[in-house]
Amino acid sequence: MPAELKNYKKLSELLLDKGVITPAQVEEISLKMVKSGESEESIIRSMRLFPEEDFLRYKAEFLKIPFVDLDEVGFSPEALSLVAQSVAEKYHLVPYRMDPKNKILEVAMANPLDLETIEFLEKKTGLRIKAVMALESKIDAFIQEKYEREKGITSEVSKALDERKADEAKIEEETTKAVTTEAPIAKIVNTILAYAVRSRASDVHIEPLEENVRVRYRIDGILQEKYVLPRNVLEAVVSRIKILANLKIDEKRIPQDGRFNINVDGNEVDLRVSTLPVSYGEKVVMRLLRKSSKVPSLPDLGLRGLALKNLIESIERPHGIIIVCGPTGSGKTTTLYSILDKVATPKVNVVTIEDPVEYQMKGVNQVQVNVQAGLTFASALRSFLRQDPNIMMVGEIRDTETAELAINASLTGHLVFSTLHTNDAAGAPPRMLDMGVEPFLLISALTCVVAQRVLRRLCPECRQFVEIDSETLGELKETLGPIYGMLEEKAKKEGKVLKLPKAVGCPKCNNTGYMGRIAIYEVMPITEKISKLIVEHAAASAIQRQAIEEGMLTMKQDGYVKVLEGITTVDEVLRVAQY
């Protein structure tokens, strides 16, 4: 019978069934209960068999009560305004979500079995309380953060709802424009954007759901829910953003794109706005591009050793084509900007065609794709050749025409950089051949292929190191091969032991355990043997084997090296490099 359907008489029975304690430990717990007269829960806690949060999850399952991790849920300002901070602090609870349709208020409590407090909340709010269990320390941290730091958005949402209730009549376009440029809607949008800048978010998603509006932030590549707004403010919030981005506020049937600038704490940020009609309204996604941020160097991105040496040698050649591979969001454009920053000197003419231009670079002539006007990657490449260029960057090779033009440009004495959507470096030559590029032209032009993924860095303030367990050790040794022995030998010489880094979480990293990002790479120079394989139309696997024989580290190997250096975790490497 599945564990979730069983009626456990004791908590220890559930823990045993889940395999987190042994029969001997169950017996030990029973003996201690008889001898001391203490409760089973207090004895299990005192034995410290697992972290407090894990224990609460098991306890919640035993009691058949939902458990929430407050670090991973967004909060509703509307819900928060229903319970005073003093009440929340006294009873260690926090109202984090509201269902106005069914009149339910979800409250995270340290003790969700406190029926007296639940009854008090129901009388005070006039809503049915759905109590869930959460870690007390996270409840207290949530109270401090939300009540103290989020007073602005909580009060503005309440004001916005009051205004909507006062005027339920349909608001025409001009009236909407007037309302959305004033407080409190403007303040709600400002708060959403300010948090995005301060939390280092790359994107903001405002998503209409059936019962509310979810606001999520992509921080270090992972989407995190932050706010849950009432449905009533959706139209006004979206209209406010459209006005800022100079979009049509009365056009809700088709997607629109725009951009605008904001200044938060002296940081100027450019926002690219995209709206999309979805089932329950219009979804808005805003990409944040920080103007003040400097282009990172190649070592800062995560390149080192032979990979860095091979890439720099290829960059320093006067001609040839260098391709950076990876899926969307893998940091390809950032790597290309770092390369351009290295090669763009007053002595060379650098031109780029991008879709879109993400960062303005000094000394580089950047062109943005405009398909409606006939400006495509291919048409721009033809024009570039009449601009006396030394170095060209093509945002992406998408078709045969662009591929052939890029190859021909590199063969006529130009250095060309571009990107391609393949899983690994070895997959790039076969993909180019599939596009119709002749093998003899490809091997003459292609000098180097880079593949990459982006993963999260561990927070230096709270990361911890633990002994490497046997299963992980086997995986590391199998993947790294002789490299593991070299790292172990190096650690011994320094009087250290190789350990496994672990994400913990602290206020500085928003309790995620991670802060910032780093890339993992594989850099494959096109050697004589690899050129021969390309001409023979060899499979990507054969090309990869040859590259590894010649010293190339795969992305997974590069990731595991960074794990043993304490930069990231095994989970992060497997999340992005396991394919």
Side-chain angles (χ1 to χ4, degrees):
M1 185 185 289
E4 61 269 23
L5 299 179
K6 286 187 179 179
N7 290 315
Y8 295 102
K9 291 179 181 177
K10 290 184 178 180
L11 178 58
S12 55
E13 289 177 7
L14 180 140
L15 299 175
L16 178 65
D17 203 27
K18 286 192 164 292
V20 293
I21 63 172
T22 63
Q25 286 172 325
V26 172
E27 198 172 329
E28 185 184 349
I29 291 164
S30 298
L31 285 171
K32 285 186 176 180
M33 284 171 66
V34 173
K35 286 181 181 178
S36 66
E38 290 183 56
S39 68
E40 183 185 46
E41 181 183 330
S42 61
I43 288 168
I44 294 171
R45 280 179 187 270
S46 67
M47 290 173 73
R48 299 183 181 276
L49 299 170
F50 22 72
E52 179 68 9
E53 188 164 345
D54 290 346
F55 172 76
L56 281 184
R57 287 180 189 275
Y58 299 135
K59 181 184 173 183
E61 186 176 338
F62 174 68
L63 296 171
K64 294 182 172 55
I65 294 171
F67 178 88
V68 295
D69 183 349
L70 289 174
D71 289 336
E72 295 180 2
V73 297
F75 87 100
S76 164
E78 186 184 9
L80 203 70
S81 65
L82 295 173
V83 179
Q85 183 176 351
S86 57
V87 174
E89 287 173 343
K90 182 179 179 181
Y91 296 105
H92 297 287
L93 58 86
V94 61
Y96 69 98
R97 190 160 295 174
M98 183 178 171
D99 179 356
K101 186 179 177 182
N102 297 309
K103 295 190 175 179
I104 295 172
L105 182 66
E106 293 183 44
V107 181
M109 302 177 69
N111 180 16
L113 297 179
D114 185 351
L115 300 178
E116 196 177 324
T117 300
I118 292 171
E119 188 180 349
F120 164 71
L121 290 174
E122 286 183 338
K123 285 180 181 177
K124 185 172 178 60
T125 62
L127 301 169
R128 191 155 53 89
I129 302 299
K130 180 184 175 183
V132 301
M133 187 175 284
L135 193 64
E136 189 172 320
S137 59
K138 288 192 177 182
I139 288 174
D140 293 341
F142 196 93
I143 290 168
Q144 291 304 312
E145 181 186 353
K146 307 310 177 194
Y147 279 101
E148 294 298 327
R149 300 183 199 171
E150 308 290 352
K151 280 179 182 175
I153 193 165
T154 302
S155 60
E156 298 309 329
V157 165
S158 298
K159 286 178 191 174
L161 288 170
D162 290 341
E163 287 183 10
R164 298 289 291 182
K165 285 172 187 173
D167 183 15
E168 287 295 337
K170 189 177 178 182
I171 302 171
E172 297 300 328
E173 180 186 342
E174 288 306 314
T175 313
T176 303
K177 193 166 184 176
V179 168
T180 54
T181 54
E182 296 170 3
I185 295 299
K187 289 183 181 176
I188 291 173
V189 172
N190 290 345
T191 303
I192 289 170
L193 296 177
Y195 183 83
V197 175
R198 289 168 187 149
S199 62
R200 304 173 293 104
S202 60
D203 301 83
V204 183
H205 292 238
I206 300 174
E207 303 167 298
L209 305 178
E210 186 176 4
E211 294 171 353
N212 48 45
V213 180
R214 178 170 65 177
V215 182
R216 295 193 291 172
Y217 297 84
R218 192 175 292 282
I219 302 170
D220 295 333
I222 305 294
L223 277 173
Q224 298 176 20
E225 189 176 296
K226 173 69 179 175
Y227 301 116
V228 180
L229 303 176
R231 281 277 310 175
N232 292 1
V233 301
L234 171 66
E235 191 178 331
V237 167
V238 173
S239 295
R240 170 64 180 162
I241 293 167
K242 282 183 173 182
I243 289 165
L244 291 170
N246 201 24
L247 302 177
K248 296 177 181 177
I249 61 173
D250 58 334
E251 181 55 83
K252 301 172 185 178
R253 300 162 300 169
I254 59 171
Q256 295 187 69
D257 296 299
R259 63 195 310 159
F260 65 94
N261 294 331
I262 58 167
N263 195 306
V264 178
D265 302 333
N267 298 311
E268 196 174 349
V269 181
D270 187 22
L271 288 103
R272 289 211 323 262
V273 180
S274 170
T275 69
L276 181 73
V278 293
S279 299
Y280 298 109
E282 281 186 282
K283 177 181 176 180
V284 178
V285 175
M286 294 176 279
R287 166 67 57 90
L288 281 77
L289 303 169
R290 289 160 179 80
K291 293 187 175 181
S292 58
S293 57
K294 293 181 181 177
V295 176
S297 67
L298 293 172
D300 287 343
L301 292 176
L303 277 158
R304 76 270 301 276
L306 184 62
L308 180 60
K309 178 176 174 287
N310 286 335
L311 180 57
I312 287 175
E313 283 179 0
S314 300
I315 291 167
E316 288 175 347
R317 292 185 186 184
H319 55 81
I321 182 166
I322 296 168
I323 293 176
V324 182
C325 305
T328 303
S330 59
K332 301 186 297 295
T333 306
T334 303
T335 297
L336 285 176
Y337 280 136
S338 296
I339 292 170
L340 287 178
D341 192 53
K342 187 174 178 63
V343 299
T345 66
K347 295 180 180 179
V348 293
N349 178 22
V350 183
V351 286
T352 75
I353 174 70
E354 304 169 55
D355 185 21
V357 174
E358 292 195 11
Y359 295 96
Q360 301 288 343
M361 295 191 69
K362 288 182 180 178
V364 177
N365 304 289
Q366 294 170 276
V367 178
Q368 182 158 317
V369 166
N370 188 340
V371 178
Q372 290 178 333
L375 182 56
T376 63
F377 286 119
S379 64
L381 260 174
R382 286 195 197 90
S383 301
F384 285 176
L385 293 170
R386 296 189 288 274
Q387 287 284 318
D388 185 30
N390 299 101
I391 297 163
M392 292 184 279
M393 184 187 103
V394 185
E396 185 185 337
I397 294 176
R398 293 177 180 173
D399 51 44
T400 303
E401 188 182 11
T402 309
E404 288 177 346
L405 285 166
I407 293 290
N408 289 331
S410 66
L411 290 172
T412 52
H414 304 93
L415 186 58
V416 181
F417 303 108
S418 191
T419 70
L420 196 64
H421 285 287
T422 60
N423 281 335
D424 52 22
R431 176 66 60 85
M432 296 286 280
L433 296 177
D434 288 343
M435 285 183 177
V437 177
E438 293 292 342
F440 66 92
L441 291 176
L442 184 60
I443 62 170
S444 301
L446 193 60
T447 57
C448 185
V449 181
V450 180
Q452 68 177 88
R453 298 288 188 280
V454 176
L455 40 72
R456 293 181 291 173
R457 279 180 182 267
L458 278 165
C459 172
E461 297 293 320
C462 63
R463 67 177 175 179
Q464 292 180 1
F465 290 87
V466 296
E467 298 294 329
I468 304 175
D469 60 87
S470 56
E471 188 180 340
T472 307
L473 183 62
E475 165 71 10
L476 290 170
K477 285 184 174 179
E478 184 184 348
T479 303
L480 291 174
I483 299 168
Y484 185 86
M486 291 163 59
L487 292 170
E488 199 171 35
E489 191 64 34
K490 183 186 174 186
K492 280 181 183 176
K493 285 180 182 177
E494 294 172 356
K496 298 175 183 175
V497 177
L498 289 180
K499 288 194 172 184
L500 209 60
K502 176 186 171 187
V504 179
C506 65
K508 194 166 183 181
C509 63
N510 215 10
N511 292 311
T512 61
Y514 298 94
M515 180 176 280
R517 294 198 279 176
I518 194 166
I520 52 174
Y521 289 92
E522 53 188 42
V523 177
M524 185 180 78
I526 307 302
T527 61
E528 192 176 331
K529 288 182 179 178
I530 289 174
S531 295
K532 188 179 177 185
L533 289 171
I534 293 170
V535 171
E536 293 170 355
H537 286 266
S541 55
I543 294 173
Q544 185 177 53
R545 279 196 299 273
Q546 181 58 43
I548 290 170
E549 277 182 32
E550 294 176 5
M552 181 187 84
L553 281 185
T554 65
M555 284 182 284
K556 196 173 180 183
Q557 287 176 324
D558 187 29
Y560 280 168
V561 170
K562 288 180 169 79
V563 167
L564 294 171
E565 289 174 347
I567 296 171
T568 188
T569 60
V570 170
D571 289 343
E572 275 297 290
V573 175
L574 294 177
R575 180 176 67 83
V576 301
Q578 189 82 304
Y579 52 85

